[in-house]
Amino acid sequence: MSDLSPCPGLSVHTNGAVAVIRLSRPAKRNALNEAMVAGLRTLVSGFPSAIRAVVIHGEGDHFCAGLDLGEVDGEPDLAGAIHHSLGWHRAFQEIQFGRVPVVSVLHGAVVGGGFELAAATHIRIAERSAFFALPEGQRGIFLGGGGSVRIPRLIGTPLVQDMMLTGRSLSAAEAQGAGACQYLVDDGAGLALAMDLARKAAGIAEMTRFAVIHALPRIAEADPHIGYLTEALMASAAQTMPEAKARVRDFLAKKAAKVARPD
Ligand code: 1HE
């Protein structure tokens, strides 16, 4: 385990091939200030190649209370506000379209920019205490961390409109039903599951990892004709890698694990 923490409010440790980033500002419910957003970007883009998956979680009773509202007061002008939002975009792009899969563990408040951050990760695990909200509507502002692009793709535009117009919070179970997270676990069980999933994700072949993170979401949103072509190109790139050949050979030689039935 080595400590790579880039700024106050973020702490990072590595555990084998997995880096664990913790939002560590519990007195402010892990609200994200500019330094933390920039720190996330630097961290996620700068991990050495030995890191093959990342877990993000929050210290204290909440995952993240979103934007540090203290900073909204200080924003000087329209151009400054636009660049503030673009800074969040760059950081969260780095998470969604970086080199490695990112698993988030969500508990307590997953609100505003906290939900936007979670939406940029690839696998979301909610603990039962988690609640999801978009209080931007109540604060007189709007999503600014890429959430208006990502969150409707997870839970649909009508539900996002409902949450923003009425201040509706979703329970963890409602959020899972709506598609906001892939897993729902008991309180305190999220991090262990995240480590397990991250280790599995870290073990997939390099080219498959690239395809899942970079090609799949673009194919899914492309015109189907372009999608089929991109898929064929991506599949042939992956399949002709020596690593793919070795893995297939291992299966045929009965040296690789079979597909497991669900628990
Ligand atoms: C904060 C923030 C924050 C807490 N910025 N300081 N996000 C919000 O509108 C959510 C606002 N927060 C809350 O509704 C609640 O704090 C929680 C439901 C998250 C947690 O409640 P609780 O009772 O555990 O904590 P608390 O007593 O409300 O807050 C503890 C302290 O954290 C308190 O400061 P203190 O100095 O009085 O101790 C709060 O002021 C502070 N705090 N949340 C700053 N967000 C890129 S665009 C993204 C746009 C958004 O994210 S908008 C949504 C902002």
Side-chain angles (χ1 to χ4, degrees):
M1 296 277 262
S2 59
D3 189 6
L4 309 160
S5 309
C7 67
L10 291 179
S11 74
V12 190
H13 292 91
T14 58
N15 188 337
V18 180
V20 181
I21 300 176
R22 185 162 60 163
L23 308 179
S24 293
R25 205 187 172 207
K28 294 290 179 190
R29 306 317 186 236
N30 298 325
L32 295 170
N33 57 32
E34 230 171 315
M36 289 165 74
V37 172
L40 278 173
R41 180 179 175 211
T42 307
L43 261 179
V44 175
S45 59
F47 284 125
S49 59
I51 295 300
R52 295 197 302 276
V54 169
V55 168
I56 297 184
H57 70 129
E59 183 178 343
D61 292 338
H62 302 281
F63 173 66
C64 177
L67 168 69
D68 184 336
L69 290 167
E71 288 189 343
V72 174
D73 251 357
E75 271 171 15
D77 54 28
L78 177 59
I82 291 171
H83 285 289
H84 181 265
S85 174
L86 294 180
W88 282 58
H89 289 179
R90 282 192 291 272
F92 292 2
Q93 281 281 113
E94 204 63 61
I95 290 171
Q96 184 178 7
F97 294 113
R99 198 177 48 77
V100 299
V102 182
V103 182
S104 53
V105 183
L106 311 173
H107 75 297
V110 185
V111 308
F115 193 178
E116 295 185 278
L117 167 59
T121 66
H122 305 100
I123 300 176
R124 287 167 292 280
I125 301 167
E127 295 189 349
R128 291 202 184 274
S129 68
F131 57 98
F132 295 68
L134 296 170
E136 285 88 342
Q138 281 62 53
R139 309 279 175 248
I141 54 180
F142 188 60
L143 295 152
S148 59
V149 174
R150 295 190 183 95
I151 300 175
R153 284 173 161 79
L154 296 177
I155 66 174
T157 302
L159 186 51
V160 175
Q161 288 177 319
D162 183 9
M163 294 173 77
M164 292 202 69
L165 292 172
T166 68
R168 177 177 177 183
S169 286
L170 302 180
S171 68
E174 286 173 323
Q176 188 193 30
C181 57
Q182 295 98 319
Y183 294 87
L184 175 58
V185 298
D186 287 337
D187 290 338
L191 189 55
L193 176 60
M195 292 304 292
D196 183 39
L197 298 177
R199 283 191 196 102
K200 287 176 176 155
I204 70 167
E206 178 85 39
M207 193 55 81
T208 307
R209 195 164 69 225
F210 172 81
V212 172
I213 293 175
H214 291 272
L216 179 64
R218 282 149 174 150
I219 291 171
E221 283 169 21
D223 173 290
H225 295 292
I226 303 295
Y228 291 129
L229 176 64
T230 310
E231 181 192 79
L233 295 173
M234 191 67 252
S236 56
Q239 201 172 307
T240 50
M241 287 285 133
E243 190 172 356
K245 297 205 172 298
R247 285 175 182 234
V248 171
R249 228 176 277 131
D250 277 354
F251 176 78
L252 295 173
K254 307 208 179 300
K255 287 194 255 170
K258 289 185 189 183
V259 174
R261 289 178 185 278
D263 296 330

